[in-house]
Amino acid sequence: MSIHRDQIIRCACDLYLSDGIEGFSMRKLAKCVGCTAPALYRHYESKDEVIQDVVTEAYRQFTQYLYRALEGRTPSERFTMAGKSYFDFAMEQPALYEIIYLPRAILGAHSADVAVAHEASAIGQFWTDRVREMMDAGFLKDGDPSEVSHTLWGHAHGLISIYHRGLLSVQSPAEFRVLMTESFFRLMKGLGTEAFDEVVESIRKVRNMEPFTA
């Protein structure tokens, strides 16, 4: 039987999120994949190596979504496309999104710490760059780009986490997209300049684009 890496990653991600690191085993993973444990050991030496691969894949797909925003021609296009790409990843890949935000100590993939730290730093810089160029273009009020990017990032992650846990009254992803966008507009009233009205119109257009699929 041929075992595909993406099948192992998908099963490992689901198994970890349901059972945690203590309940994760190669035997359970093999059952989910539909093979024997010895067959899995031909691909991975241990469960820690499997989880490391899951974390690496989660970040790889996350950055693939985000960096699509670099195709934008202007600061406002890149800014709005980055927000849309973040939302699309969270909605289309909820398990991988959850893995990314699990504390390393809980995840148990200590061998992935260096790689994760590098990817997390790159993503943080990506958001800071989007904010800095919006400030330079006069769309955002002057301030510390890193602090403002953390504010925006925290706002997005907070709402998405609440939605994923079923704590909002919205019934569909489409309704949640509207709720999140309107909430973002309210936040931007404090962070944006008068010129941000142009960005608001751009965001409304981007919302009608087809979701990006990795």
Side-chain angles (χ1 to χ4, degrees):
M1 174 184 175
S2 177
I3 305 174
H4 296 288
R5 175 177 174 272
D6 58 347
Q7 183 182 8
I8 297 175
I9 294 293
R10 183 173 62 255
C11 286
C13 188
D14 292 342
L15 181 61
Y16 175 77
L17 290 176
S18 64
D19 293 4
I21 187 63
E22 296 302 325
F24 188 100
S25 70
M26 297 295 273
R27 179 181 57 79
K28 288 183 179 179
L29 179 58
K31 182 178 180 180
C32 177
V33 173
C35 68
T36 64
L40 275 183
Y41 279 109
R42 288 197 288 270
H43 296 267
Y44 297 96
E45 293 183 357
S46 66
K47 70 177 184 180
D48 185 67
E49 189 174 298
V50 175
I51 294 175
Q52 177 181 347
D53 204 20
V54 169
V55 174
T56 300
E57 178 64 15
Y59 273 96
R60 186 194 70 79
Q61 290 200 33
F62 189 33
T63 55
Q64 184 177 1
Y65 272 74
L66 288 182
Y67 290 174
R68 181 173 181 258
L70 298 178
E71 298 173 5
R73 296 167 298 175
T74 65
S76 62
E77 282 187 3
R78 290 188 288 274
F79 184 74
T80 54
M81 288 174 68
K84 179 183 182 298
S85 294
Y86 185 96
F87 182 89
D88 288 345
F89 176 76
M91 301 303 289
E92 295 170 11
Q93 307 291 345
L96 293 180
Y97 182 88
E98 188 78 10
I99 287 290
I100 284 175
Y101 285 103
L102 285 174
R104 301 280 76 77
I106 294 177
L107 187 60
H110 302 299
S111 58
D113 283 350
V114 174
V116 167
H118 174 76
E119 293 293 346
S121 176
I123 291 171
Q125 187 61 52
F126 170 86
W127 288 118
T128 299
D129 290 344
R130 302 288 71 73
V131 169
R132 179 181 289 108
E133 64 179 2
M134 286 290 282
M135 288 180 176
D136 292 343
F139 292 118
L140 294 180
K141 296 174 183 176
D142 289 337
D144 185 324
S146 179
E147 291 182 0
V148 174
S149 70
H150 289 159
T151 298
L152 294 169
W153 195 351
H155 172 265
H157 177 58
L159 277 178
I160 288 170
S161 296
I162 293 171
Y163 174 76
H164 278 169
R165 284 158 178 75
L167 300 177
L168 293 177
S169 60
V170 294
Q171 300 299 313
S172 69
E175 290 178 316
F176 176 56
R177 183 185 290 270
V178 173
L179 182 152
M180 186 165 178
T181 303
E182 295 304 321
S183 178
F184 171 74
F185 288 161
R186 286 191 288 273
L187 175 64
M188 292 305 296
K189 286 183 181 296
L191 298 174
T193 64
E194 292 183 1
F196 188 72
D197 287 344
E198 175 185 329
V199 181
V200 170
E201 181 59 29
S202 175
I203 291 174
R204 295 191 185 282
K205 291 179 180 179
V206 169
R207 274 174 48 188
N208 294 323
M209 293 170 59
E210 289 297 321
F212 169 58
T213 301

